[in-house]
Amino acid sequence: MSICNREGGRCAEMAMVCLTDFEEYAKEHLSKATWDYYAAGADECCTRDDNLLAYKRIRLRPRILRDVSVSDTRTTVQGTEISFPVGIAPTAFHCLAWHEGEVATARATEALNTCYITSTYSTCSVEEIAAAAPNGYRWFQLYVYRDRKLSEQIVHRVEGLGYKALVLTVDVPYTGKRRDDIRNQFKLPPHLKVKNFDGVFQETAGAEEYGIPANTLDPSISWKDVYWLQSITRLPVIIKGILTKEDAELAVEHGVSGIIVSNHGGRQLDGGPASIDALSEIVDTVQGRIEVYLDGGIRTGSDVLKALALGAKCVFIGRPAVWGLAYKGEEGLREVLQILNDEFRLSMALSGCRNVAEINRNLIQFSKL
């Protein structure tokens, strides 16, 4: 595969075989501040790094002689069929990685027929994203702001545009301390903005945090806000950022439609559990009453298989999506998703699973190392 840098310099031959290849390409070609922003974890990055290491502590118990000549990776999320159980997690500022930004992300996920959770902090508007991939299956990730009207307005916008669920992110009452962003004094370049709030904050002077005025998020958010959100929309509400069985039970009691087990890519509280390590207790608590998903640390098809074996209905990728964009925009992200799909199908077959329904906890053992 021939790749050229964007300035039209020399071309080199490089086979993009796995997600790590895309990571290395992105690190080499993105500016330092942009790479640091995407790669950042909170504080000492222990949780960010453990999101990856935790999968290596899990072993598969493959079954053999199971006739895996035909395999089926399809599944459903919230009643909608997707081609395989990997979607795109909400990540901000895709235009930093590729000039078309979230528009390219939307097209890639539409082409692969999977779920794209659009971030509030997109550098394309929810309208632009919907127009770019009119048949795409999209959810919208939401924060609750001190000014509830801001949240309410965007909820009504996405509902009118055909987004199919709201993903309420609950682990950011305050932004985690990301040391490299502080050192780099990270700011969006002047030509980019948080498009969903274009014009909303024009009057406001003062400190900014990731493209909008500081102290805009509401740290008083509580379970009553879940009821408030349900009162203003017909869309299912999925909570992202749960890591304990206690909060999983409360989520069920509050009538949400799903949980995304997530530590925000290790960008919020450092020292919390890896997402995959928190999954089992949440699945055991929920007992199938609502769907449970996961993000954080997915890098291979066998990671997907392990997460499904432990009870996740679907997983979502964050940083790898951005690496795909940095490589070749829509085409690069399609390659990332296709590689994960192919690896997942192969891991399923080599473990003796013909379809997603055959994946269960008997497939898993934990390493004694």
Side-chain angles (χ1 to χ4, degrees):
M1 183 180 300
S2 175
I3 57 171
C4 305
N5 67 29
R6 253 176 253 163
E7 285 71 42
R10 64 184 182 81
C11 288
E13 287 299 320
M14 181 175 173
M16 306 301 269
V17 173
C18 61
L19 269 56
T20 307
D21 293 338
F22 292 86
E23 179 180 19
E24 290 171 358
Y25 180 93
K27 186 171 186 178
E28 188 179 322
H29 288 80
L30 295 173
S31 73
K32 182 181 185 301
T34 295
W35 171 260
D36 286 349
Y37 166 72
Y38 288 137
D43 298 305
E44 296 178 298
C45 299
C46 297
T47 297
R48 179 198 68 180
D49 296 345
D50 203 36
N51 271 350
L52 301 174
L53 294 170
Y55 285 94
K56 300 185 186 345
R57 297 191 288 265
I58 302 170
R59 295 287 181 268
L60 293 166
R61 301 177 64 249
R63 301 298 306 277
I64 57 167
L65 299 175
R66 303 263 291 183
D67 183 4
V68 289
S69 55
V70 177
S71 63
D72 185 356
T73 62
R74 291 174 299 170
T75 190
T76 61
V77 287
Q78 298 297 315
T80 294
E81 185 177 281
I82 55 176
S83 63
F84 74 125
V86 179
I88 304 296
T91 47
F93 309 152
H94 289 189
C95 283
L96 286 176
W98 183 256
H99 62 96
E100 289 183 303
E102 290 83 4
V103 161
T105 309
R107 289 182 185 133
T109 46
E110 181 186 59
L112 271 290
N113 185 29
T114 191
C115 180
Y116 169 28
I117 309 177
T118 304
S119 171
T120 287
Y121 283 75
S122 295
T123 36
C124 300
S125 69
V126 288
E127 289 82 5
E128 290 167 331
I129 292 163
N135 299 312
Y137 180 58
R138 280 179 300 280
W139 299 348
F140 181 77
Q141 174 269 330
L142 181 75
Y143 289 108
V144 172
Y145 296 99
R146 291 174 190 269
D147 179 357
R148 290 291 189 277
K149 282 285 174 211
L150 275 181
S151 300
E152 194 169 336
Q153 285 163 1
I154 199 157
V155 165
H156 292 149
R157 279 167 68 188
V158 301
E159 193 165 12
L161 288 163
Y163 290 71
K164 299 303 185 188
L166 295 174
V167 176
L168 178 64
T169 295
V170 294
D171 55 5
V172 191
Y174 301 96
T175 305
K177 183 179 179 182
R178 302 163 196 170
R179 295 176 183 178
D180 283 342
D181 286 350
I182 297 168
R183 291 186 183 108
N184 295 332
Q185 299 183 301
F186 175 82
K187 276 190 167 57
L188 276 180
H191 68 285
L192 297 180
K193 56 186 73 166
V194 181
K195 283 292 279 291
N196 291 320
F197 297 125
D198 195 7
V200 173
F201 299 116
Q202 277 178 343
E203 308 288 315
T204 311
E208 272 199 4
E209 191 171 61
Y210 298 111
I212 67 171
N215 303 314
T216 306
L217 294 174
D218 190 350
S220 77
I221 183 173
S222 69
W223 285 105
K224 72 180 189 303
D225 291 297
V226 175
Y227 288 141
W228 167 76
L229 189 56
Q230 290 164 333
S231 77
I232 65 167
T233 182
R234 297 185 306 277
L235 294 176
V237 175
I238 294 159
I239 291 191
K240 175 181 179 290
I242 286 180
L243 291 167
T244 63
K245 61 186 179 184
E246 294 88 349
D247 284 337
E249 182 58 45
L250 283 166
V252 173
E253 289 173 9
H254 282 77
V256 306
S257 297
I259 289 169
I260 302 180
V261 179
S262 173
N263 54 34
H264 215 101
R267 295 162 77 81
Q268 282 300 108
L269 175 68
D270 199 27
S275 297
I276 192 73
D277 286 342
L279 178 62
S280 292
E281 72 171 63
I282 291 170
V283 168
D284 290 345
T285 298
V286 166
Q287 290 286 313
R289 290 174 288 174
I290 59 176
E291 292 183 350
V292 178
Y293 318 110
L294 172 137
D295 69 23
I298 297 286
R299 298 294 181 268
T300 67
S302 67
D303 292 343
V304 180
L305 182 62
K306 290 171 184 178
L308 266 63
L310 289 168
K313 181 75 167 161
C314 179
V315 302
F316 293 89
I317 57 169
R319 292 181 181 96
V322 173
W323 304 336
L325 289 175
Y327 175 56
K328 273 190 186 174
E330 176 190 344
E331 185 184 339
L333 179 50
R334 284 169 73 157
E335 283 189 48
V336 164
L337 287 168
Q338 191 62 57
I339 286 170
L340 273 179
N341 194 346
D342 294 344
E343 289 180 352
F344 174 59
R345 187 184 296 274
L346 181 59
S347 297
M348 273 176 57
L350 295 178
S351 299
C353 299
R354 291 161 290 210
N355 55 55
V356 169
E358 291 185 346
I359 301 169
N360 61 51
R361 209 170 287 192
N362 292 331
L363 206 57
I364 290 296
Q365 68 183 30
F366 288 89
S367 168
K368 295 176 176 60
L369 296 177

